[in-house]
């Protein structure tokens, strides 16, 4: 009897424990816990990562690892089939789609000899991602995907066209397979869905083998997105049909739309980033890998991805998935939810927002030999951050103005590094003031 009472007491303690309470070994569904007995740690400065984990805890709900793998069927079937058709002129072979329907609007892209090899390598890797999903147990057929309706619907929303279509406004629809710039823009639009979404899934999987594999999906997708951004930067002044705007401007609109659809956090950036509170390269603002100030890539939850794919439709049905997504995770409901339980790691309040498409308005005219820093609309499309502005210039961003105590353990987060300073660590007494820095 006494043993039963002890067992019941232990069980109740585990059930009542908060997420990330150190020392808890139970990993139930809808929750995340750590087995690290060294905490709690002071994560005050890691506001981006804390918010992503809170979103992840809320997103997991009662989904199993199998549900998460089946969710990846949607992501990898969309990306893999689009990239494969565009690079090679055919779709998945063998059993990668498990009898799923043929995509709508698929054909070979009109690619130059300079761009095509990159796209072929990426397409082969995306087929490999689909293979991982199948070998990891994903048993659902690929869903119906629509390339023509998908990109026209998504870009129509990025241009704020409302109920009008791109063809009605510009005289012809957007053709993702037309040329280098149209295809690479389309590829990276989907690539960064997958890169951020896969990273967000790593913390939701309880099986370490699956988590390791999905981490590989995220890292390879991020690498390929950097290749795609590099190609787009090289053709940033090329005009994108039928909009009459440049690659750089269209990409800025895509980034603004993606960020406005995934919740209040600021986690998307254009081809250039001039916001000094992120990694902003002085003078050129080149942005091959969008990151926070720590150089860390972003995460998204499945619900956030679905809200982006569906343009905010609660049913999950949208331009890319006209019949909805397959599997148990098929709705964006709750995409802004944040879980509690991390309050033992206090965070500095900071509210981020992204301007809506309507607020951005028309970005004209196309770039005509202007420097990146004077691109029309670039400043307006840059994410803005409300909160502490101690890191408001590229000289001071991410810098703790208190003098670090190098003898303190790293759990105190008092040892900071300079980001963007050629001189490395600079004592606070030698730092220019915020009012004069960068002038």
């Amino acid at each position: 009897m006494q043993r039963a009472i002890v067992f019941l007491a232990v069980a109740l303690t585990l059930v009542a424990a908060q997420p990330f309470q150190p020392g808890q070994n139970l990993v139930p569904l809808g929750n995340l816990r750590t087995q690290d007995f060294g905490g709690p740690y002071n994560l005050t400065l890691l506001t981006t990562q804390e918010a992503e984990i809170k979103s992840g805890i809320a997103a997991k709900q009662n989904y199993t690892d199998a549900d998460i793998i089946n969710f990846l069927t949607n992501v990898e079937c969309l990306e893999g089939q689009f990239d494969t058709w565009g690079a090679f002129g055919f779709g998945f072979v063998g059993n990668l789609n498990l009898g799923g329907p043929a995509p709508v609007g698929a054909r070979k892209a009109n690619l130059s000899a300079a761009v095509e090899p990159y796209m072929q390598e990426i397409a082969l890797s995306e087929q490999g991602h689909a293979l991982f999903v199948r070998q990891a147990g994903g048993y659902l057929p690929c869903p119906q995907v629509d390339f023509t309706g998908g990109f026209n619907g998504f870009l129509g929303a990025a241009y704020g066209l409302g109920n009008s279509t791109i063809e009605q406004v510009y005289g012809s629809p957007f053709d993702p397979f037309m040329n280098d710039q149209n295809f690479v823009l389309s590829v990276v639009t989907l690539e960064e869905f997958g890169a951020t979404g896969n990273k967000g899934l790593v913390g939701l999987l309880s099986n370490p083998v699956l988590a390791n594999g999905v981490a590989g999906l995220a890292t390879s997708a991020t690498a390929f997105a950097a290749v795609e951004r590099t190609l787009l930067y090289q053709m940033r002044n090329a005009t994108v049909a039928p909009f009459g705007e440049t690659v750089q401007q269209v990409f800025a609109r895509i980034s603004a739309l993606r960020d406005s659809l995934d919740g209040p956090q600021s986690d998307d950036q254009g081809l250039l980033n001039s916001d000094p509170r992120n990694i902003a390269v002085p003078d050129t603002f080149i942005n091959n890998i969008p990151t926070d100030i720590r150089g860390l890539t972003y995460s998204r939850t499945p619900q956030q991805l679905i809200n982006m794919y569906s343009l905010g439709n609660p049913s999950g049905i949208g331009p890319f998935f006209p019949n909805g997504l397959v599997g148990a995770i098929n709705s964006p409901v709750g995409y802004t939810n944040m879980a509690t339980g991390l309050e033992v790691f206090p965070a500095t309040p900071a509210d981020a927002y992204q301007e809506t498409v309507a607020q951005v308005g028309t970005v004209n005219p196309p770039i005509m030999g202007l420097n990146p820093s004077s691109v029309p609309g670039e400043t307006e499309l840059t994410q803005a951050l409300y909160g502490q502005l101690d890191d408001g210039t590229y000289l001071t961003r991410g810098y703790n103005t208190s003098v670090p105590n190098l003898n303190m353990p790293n759990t105190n987060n008092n040892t900071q590094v300079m980001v963007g300073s050629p001189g490395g660590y600079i004592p606070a007494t030698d730092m220019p003031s915020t009012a004069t820095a960068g002038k």
Side-chain angles (χ1 to χ4, degrees):
M1 181 66 178
Q2 185 177 5
R3 181 179 299 177
I5 293 174
V6 172
F7 177 81
L8 179 61
V10 172
L12 289 175
T13 300
L14 291 174
V15 171
Q18 290 296 310
F20 278 90
Q21 182 173 334
Q24 299 299 332
N25 297 312
L26 188 66
V27 187
L29 297 177
N31 208 341
L32 300 175
R33 300 176 191 272
T34 178
Q35 298 183 35
D36 181 7
F37 287 81
Y41 301 100
N42 180 359
L43 306 181
T44 305
L45 301 179
L46 302 182
T47 52
T48 301
Q49 289 68 42
E50 182 192 44
E52 289 175 349
I53 290 300
K54 283 185 175 182
S55 295
I57 295 171
K60 186 169 183 180
Q61 302 179 30
N62 288 321
Y63 296 129
T64 65
D65 283 3
D67 292 331
I68 293 172
I69 293 299
N70 279 326
F71 168 74
L72 280 172
T73 298
N74 301 282
V75 178
E76 302 306 339
C77 283
L78 175 61
E79 290 183 47
Q81 291 188 104
F82 179 74
D83 293 1
T84 300
W85 270 103
F88 295 106
F90 55 82
F92 280 173
V93 296
N95 64 348
L96 286 182
N97 69 357
L98 289 183
V104 176
R107 66 179 178 85
K108 173 77 168 65
N110 182 26
L111 300 175
S112 69
V115 169
E116 187 172 63
Y118 293 102
M119 296 299 100
Q120 288 177 338
E121 182 192 4
I122 291 169
L124 291 172
S125 287
E126 292 297 342
Q127 292 178 41
H129 292 182
L131 178 63
F132 165 79
V133 172
R134 298 310 182 199
Q135 293 179 336
Y139 56 84
L140 297 177
C142 285
Q144 178 69 71
V145 295
D146 185 346
F147 302 148
T148 302
F151 287 107
N152 276 272
F154 194 81
L155 284 167
Y159 273 80
L161 301 186
N163 293 326
S164 299
T165 66
I166 292 175
E167 185 173 11
Q168 289 170 337
V169 175
Y170 293 97
S172 62
F174 173 77
D175 180 1
F177 302 105
M178 175 181 284
N179 51 32
D180 288 346
Q181 56 265 39
N182 283 28
F183 185 66
V184 180
L185 272 170
S186 302
V187 169
V188 77
T189 297
L190 300 181
E191 189 87 72
E192 292 183 337
F193 279 27
T196 55
N198 292 337
K199 180 171 180 263
L201 292 178
V202 173
L204 307 188
L205 289 159
S206 57
N207 185 305
V209 176
L210 296 179
N212 180 278
V214 173
L217 296 181
T219 52
S220 62
T222 300
F224 283 128
V227 171
E228 292 147 16
R229 282 176 172 257
T230 300
L231 292 172
L232 290 174
Y233 185 82
Q234 294 169 352
M235 61 178 90
R236 64 189 179 278
N237 295 327
T239 301
V240 178
F243 307 112
E245 292 186 335
T246 66
V247 166
Q248 182 175 318
Q249 291 172 310
V250 176
F251 196 105
R253 290 185 181 275
I254 291 170
S255 173
L257 178 63
R258 291 187 307 199
D259 209 7
S260 67
L261 287 169
D262 70 354
Q265 69 279 2
S266 179
D267 57 7
D268 210 304
Q269 298 161 11
L271 198 58
L272 303 184
N273 175 54
S274 55
D275 188 336
R277 285 155 290 186
N278 296 312
I279 300 297
V281 180
D283 302 324
T284 63
F285 306 123
I286 189 170
N287 192 36
N288 281 331
I289 303 179
T291 67
D292 68 1
I293 188 58
R294 305 158 195 87
L296 303 179
T297 56
Y298 296 105
S299 301
R300 289 185 171 109
T301 68
Q303 290 86 344
Q304 289 169 343
L305 286 193
I306 298 172
N307 203 60
M308 296 159 70
Y309 286 133
S310 66
L311 298 179
N313 187 343
S315 72
I317 294 174
F320 289 109
F321 297 101
N323 298 332
L325 284 74
V326 298
I329 307 176
N330 55 32
S331 168
V333 174
Y335 76 97
T336 60
N337 289 354
M338 300 281 281
T340 59
L342 294 181
E343 282 66 29
V344 290
F345 306 127
T348 301
D351 299 321
Y353 80 94
Q354 165 68 44
E355 288 185 324
T356 65
V357 174
Q359 288 174 321
V360 172
T362 303
V363 183
N364 279 314
I367 303 170
M368 301 296 292
L370 299 177
N371 293 323
S373 58
S374 59
V375 172
E378 192 69 33
T379 301
E380 289 77 6
L381 286 166
T382 296
Q383 290 81 4
L385 179 68
Y386 284 135
Q388 292 187 342
L389 301 181
D390 295 339
D391 54 351
T393 73
Y394 79 87
L395 285 176
T396 62
R397 66 188 191 279
Y399 180 67
N400 187 339
T401 54
S402 62
V403 177
N405 182 345
L406 301 182
N407 295 319
M408 275 187 160
N410 59 7
T411 55
N412 287 282
N413 258 334
N414 284 333
T415 54
Q416 296 299 297
V417 296
M418 285 295 294
V419 180
S421 168
Y425 169 67
I426 302 176
T429 54
D430 296 341
M431 282 294 297
S433 67
T434 303
T436 60
K439 289 187 177 180

